[in-house]
Amino acid sequence: ACCEADAAHFYEVIAKPVAKHFYSRLYGPTPSTPGPTEMPSVHCFGFNDVDDLSDLKLGVYWEWFEDCEAEVCTRAHVALAFLRQKGAEVVSVTIPHLDILALAHLASISGEMTFANERQFSEAPMTLEPATRIQLALGGAISGTELLASQWLRGWMMCHLDG
């Protein structure tokens, strides 16, 4: 495990800043780049237009739901209270073996992501966002044996959950 300072140092060393941000490539020129257009504004139109959620049941795994900073936890509880107020039912759930499955998922998705982006990562890494370069570097460190084991664990869990 690492602390925030370790993660920040890793980010600084591995992920050099990109002059042209992904959003400018996606949406075209922005106020900081030459051109007439701007990125679309962020919006949540219609988000609160739901009055009845009485047909919605939400399962919450409290151990992970509350495994965060106090401010985030407070806001998450406010969001759940809002959903309950709209009629949603919140029930406690447990998910066996979730810690090991989280690691298996991390290995699997990281390995798959690296495989899918390997050429761009090796030939033109500066065209990727810094966080993406970090993720791909981590995925590249996963061995074939680890990747295969993660797939077996995910398959086992699906069978386990299906009963």
Side-chain angles (χ1 to χ4, degrees):
C2 68
C3 66
E4 291 173 16
D6 294 333
H9 179 68
F10 182 77
Y11 182 84
E12 181 181 6
V13 170
I14 299 297
K16 302 293 183 211
V18 177
K20 191 168 184 182
H21 194 273
F22 170 75
Y23 294 125
S24 65
R25 294 193 306 270
L26 182 63
Y27 293 111
T30 65
S32 63
T33 61
T37 61
E38 293 184 15
M39 288 189 288
S41 60
V42 176
H43 67 84
C44 293
F45 297 125
F47 182 76
N48 291 327
D49 292 345
V50 178
D51 293 323
D52 182 19
L53 295 177
S54 60
D55 61 340
L56 182 65
K57 183 185 278 190
L58 300 170
V60 178
Y61 184 44
W62 293 106
E63 182 180 344
W64 279 31
F65 183 85
E66 295 176 336
D67 185 20
C68 56
E69 299 290 330
E71 182 178 355
V72 173
C73 189
T74 299
R75 292 293 184 189
H77 279 280
V78 168
L80 271 183
F82 172 78
L83 295 170
R84 281 184 171 132
Q85 176 190 6
K86 297 284 186 177
E89 179 184 0
V90 177
V91 297
S92 295
V93 297
T94 57
I95 304 172
H97 316 293
L98 191 56
D99 289 336
I100 190 68
L101 290 169
L103 292 173
H105 178 70
L106 173 69
S108 179
I109 199 75
S110 294
E112 290 169 10
M113 235 178 100
T114 300
F115 180 74
N117 295 283
E118 184 176 23
R119 184 173 185 180
Q120 183 179 5
F121 183 56
S122 63
E123 292 178 5
M126 296 310 286
T127 63
L128 297 166
E129 289 295 306
T132 303
R133 292 197 306 270
I134 291 171
Q135 186 63 48
L136 296 178
L138 293 171
I142 295 169
S143 73
T145 301
E146 292 166 327
L147 185 59
L148 182 58
S150 73
Q151 296 296 317
W152 283 35
L153 281 169
R154 288 173 66 187
W156 167 79
M157 185 58 170
M158 294 312 297
C159 291
H160 179 73
L161 290 175
D162 287 342

